[in-house]
Amino acid sequence: AIEAIKQDRVEFLPSKRKQYAIEYLSGLRDWNISRQIPWGIPIPAFQSVDNPSDWVFDDRVGEEEIILNGKKYRRDPDVFDTWFSSSQFPYLALGWADDSDDFKKFFPLDLMIHGSDIFNPWGMRMIMMSLYVFDEVPFKKLYIHGMIRDAHGRKMSKSLGNGVNPNEVISEYGSDALRLIFPNGEKAGAHKNFDIKKVVEGRNFCNKLWNIARFVEAILDEKGVGVSDLGKYEPKTSADHWILAELDLATSNIDSALSDLRFGDAYDEMYRLVWNKLADWYIEASKQELNLSVLDCALETVLKLAHPFAPFVTEVIWQSLGFRGEESMLVTEKWPEKLVYEAKEAEKFEKVITATEFARKVKSYVGAKMEISAPDDGLAELSRKLSKLSGGDDLGSSLNIPGLDGWSLMMSSDNLDRYRTEIGKRVDEIQSKIKNLEARLGNKSYIEKAPEKLVNESKEELTKLEEELKELKSE
């Protein structure tokens, strides 16, 4: 087993587990493969009633006593150790004993996933047993996931009484909300503390999917059509091309992340797509320029991408709206295929987003009495509506929108002065905070004595403030 691991016949995720495996196997002691417990797989060993030194092996393990050549034998009362039985899982589950087609096709397995707590008793013993029986490793990859600990980072146990009853969490927040804490921030081998805020975040995500579905359903009802009546998507606006591009990119990124077993990255990509792309931008743009065929395509794609993470809410939405007819189930649908769009049109909506975000920021300082000026009147009008600007008189002063040539915000001279004053205050505030953080992080004693988490938070805050300062100065 050690030689097989050194030869990388098994890939470990995280990779540091490879060395742990070698160290464990190098110091291994003899393994008692029996247990004195009343349940388990019986050992096929029978002892003569009359001669204690006379043992036979027989597969009639369902019987306590057997007769062989006129002699009575009694089965050994012990059972196989749990890990001895489960160590054979990769091939016994595939019907090896019956010379099955499944065994011939699927052994060795492509991937095995289990928790870090059973890495030695199960992971290593599966490798040993498969090599012993077949001279073959049982799987090509072994992914080790961390454990969910309590809010203080302690292992959940009955003695501490710090366990979490999943049924209670499900009753209050839903099963999908509980499921979503697992891929959220998932990294191979890393433990995570149970945080009810993450469950609430999962519930809010599910609610967002519901709200998107209700928005689409209301439009369908109003127009008297069903999703099955809409046919193939036909992009018409820049927003249509943009969401199709985002769906296509997210599908590719999620594909890549799942293939590489980067479950946390796959979750982040899916979350951003649903919340930051579809909900925050395309749904809002649809309220101004509706294209039901693309909206339907976006919802269908998002449901497919979210299904592995939140299977229950996505399945209910799929069946409730009648995608693919009444008999269709999302769980049996194909993964999203590549979408067709025009990149140049999608880029136009990116400009709308940039302008809208800037307009909203300026609006928070000086109010809504502004207009947006741009080379394309249609894009400027869409950005104005998304920003909820009210226009007004005396809009003779302009403020260039960073990153967009020819785009500007039109406002009164008083509001422009007011904005510049407020931005100046913010610049001074940020510079003061940056100076304090730099002094703190430059203190050797702080770096050595402060908790690592606190030091990292200080570094992240400094980076964030420096980026904001750079952006403000560019204006």
Side-chain angles (χ1 to χ4, degrees):
I2 291 172
E3 287 305 308
I5 291 170
K6 286 182 177 179
Q7 294 167 10
D8 293 324
R9 290 169 66 183
V10 176
E11 179 185 351
F12 291 87
L13 294 168
S15 59
K16 64 182 179 182
R17 283 284 173 175
K18 175 182 176 179
Q19 187 58 38
Y20 292 169
I22 293 172
E23 290 174 359
Y24 170 72
L25 292 170
S26 298
L28 201 59
R29 297 186 178 187
D30 288 345
W31 170 22
N32 188 339
I33 63 170
S34 69
R35 284 193 186 185
Q36 292 73 44
I37 53 178
W39 53 267
I41 299 175
I43 295 175
F46 292 78
Q47 184 182 35
S48 171
V49 174
D50 300 318
N51 182 5
S53 63
D54 180 12
W55 285 83
V56 297
F57 292 88
D58 196 286
D59 61 7
R60 288 175 284 178
V61 293
E63 303 176 32
E64 292 187 6
E65 293 184 351
I66 61 173
I67 302 297
L68 187 66
N69 299 325
K71 299 179 182 179
K72 181 185 289 187
Y73 290 85
R74 183 172 291 119
R75 192 189 70 224
D76 188 294
D78 291 347
V79 297
F80 279 121
D81 172 70
T82 305
W83 299 115
F84 177 83
S85 305
S86 57
S87 66
Q88 302 167 78
F89 168 79
Y91 49 90
L92 288 187
L94 294 173
W96 157 66
D98 300 323
D99 195 31
S100 73
D101 291 336
D102 282 347
F103 172 75
K104 295 173 184 176
K105 182 177 181 179
F106 296 113
F107 185 85
L109 312 178
D110 286 330
L111 172 68
M112 175 64 70
I113 300 179
H114 65 62
S116 57
D117 57 333
I118 53 177
F119 179 73
N120 293 334
W122 195 28
M124 294 306 95
R125 285 172 177 167
M126 281 189 285
I127 292 176
M128 286 191 289
M129 288 297 290
S130 288
L131 287 168
Y132 177 77
V133 177
F134 302 106
D135 195 28
E136 177 64 89
V137 294
F139 34 72
K140 299 170 187 175
K141 288 185 180 181
L142 177 56
Y143 181 97
I144 306 300
H145 63 76
M147 310 303 292
I148 301 291
R149 295 179 170 176
D150 73 7
H152 305 289
R154 300 174 301 175
K155 184 178 180 180
M156 293 185 186
S157 68
K158 291 181 180 179
S159 59
L160 289 176
N162 61 341
V164 175
N165 186 335
N167 290 326
E168 293 178 359
V169 179
I170 290 171
S171 296
E172 184 170 358
Y173 299 100
S175 51
D176 280 323
L178 179 60
R179 283 175 59 95
L180 288 170
I181 70 172
F182 299 109
N184 190 345
E186 168 70 9
K187 291 182 179 179
H191 300 304
K192 62 177 69 174
N193 297 351
F194 180 80
D195 185 352
I196 197 65
K197 293 179 181 178
K198 296 295 183 182
V199 181
V200 173
E201 182 180 299
R203 180 198 61 188
N204 293 344
F205 173 81
C206 294
N207 287 342
K208 181 60 69 172
L209 283 176
W210 272 116
N211 291 337
I212 293 171
R214 278 199 290 261
F215 174 74
V216 175
E217 184 179 34
I219 297 173
L220 292 171
D221 290 344
E222 180 184 338
K223 295 186 176 298
V225 297
V227 289
S228 58
D229 303 321
L230 297 176
K232 187 176 176 60
Y233 64 93
E234 296 182 14
K236 298 176 181 178
T237 68
S238 61
D240 292 340
H241 289 279
W242 176 82
I243 193 60
L244 292 174
E246 292 296 332
L247 292 165
D248 210 41
L249 177 62
T251 300
S252 176
N253 288 342
I254 293 172
D255 267 341
S256 176
L258 291 178
S259 296
D260 295 338
L261 307 181
R262 292 181 288 107
F263 301 113
D265 291 342
Y267 171 82
D268 288 344
E269 187 72 24
M270 182 274 300
Y271 188 93
R272 282 194 297 268
L273 174 67
V274 173
W275 202 285
N276 304 122
K277 307 296 184 178
L278 180 58
D280 282 355
W281 290 108
Y282 187 69
I283 293 294
E284 293 306 310
S286 293
K287 294 174 182 178
Q288 309 300 330
E289 303 173 298
L290 177 65
N291 185 338
L292 195 49
S293 72
V294 174
L295 183 59
D296 164 61
C297 173
L299 177 57
E300 177 182 335
T301 304
V302 157
L303 290 175
K304 290 178 179 180
L305 295 177
H307 187 66
F309 304 94
F312 300 106
V313 64
T314 51
E315 187 70 72
V316 170
I317 292 173
W318 181 273
Q319 294 188 33
S320 297
L321 290 180
F323 285 98
R324 304 286 182 276
E326 294 181 359
E327 301 300 320
S328 172
M329 293 184 66
L330 178 55
V331 71
T332 61
E333 282 293 311
K334 293 182 179 179
W335 197 242
E337 297 179 349
K338 186 168 181 61
L339 299 170
V340 178
Y341 58 89
E342 293 182 22
K344 288 186 177 181
E345 288 297 317
E347 289 172 3
K348 291 180 181 179
F349 192 71
E350 284 285 355
K351 294 180 179 181
V352 171
I353 292 174
T354 300
T356 302
E357 289 178 334
F358 184 71
R360 288 173 177 173
K361 187 183 78 168
V362 176
K363 177 184 171 183
S364 68
Y365 287 103
V366 302
K369 291 184 177 181
M370 293 183 290
E371 283 289 0
I372 293 178
S373 175
D376 187 315
D377 291 338
L379 297 180
E381 177 63 12
L382 177 58
S383 181
R384 185 193 69 79
K385 290 178 179 178
L386 293 174
S387 307
K388 297 182 180 178
L389 303 181
S390 62
D393 300 326
D394 189 23
L395 304 181
S397 297
S398 66
L399 178 64
N400 291 335
I401 298 177
L404 297 180
D405 291 337
W407 287 68
S408 60
L409 279 178
M410 307 303 298
M411 65 185 75
S412 67
S413 58
D414 289 343
N415 275 343
L416 180 58
D417 291 340
R418 180 181 168 191
Y419 175 69
R420 286 174 172 165
T421 299
E422 293 298 326
I423 290 300
K425 292 178 182 178
R426 179 59 181 162
V427 167
D428 292 341
E429 180 184 349
I430 291 175
Q431 288 176 331
S432 176
K433 289 182 177 180
I434 288 176
K435 184 178 180 181
N436 291 335
L437 283 170
E438 287 177 337
R440 184 190 304 172
L441 292 170
N443 186 332
K444 185 178 180 181
S445 176
Y446 171 77
I447 297 296
E448 293 176 349
K449 296 180 180 180
E452 183 180 357
K453 181 181 178 182
L454 192 60
V455 173
N456 289 335
E457 287 177 353
S458 296
K459 290 179 179 178
E460 290 173 5
E461 184 182 0
L462 177 60
T463 299
K464 187 177 179 180
L465 288 171
E466 287 175 338
E467 290 175 354
E468 184 180 354
L469 181 62
K470 182 179 179 181
E471 180 182 336
L472 291 174
K473 286 185 173 182
S474 73
E475 295 179 21

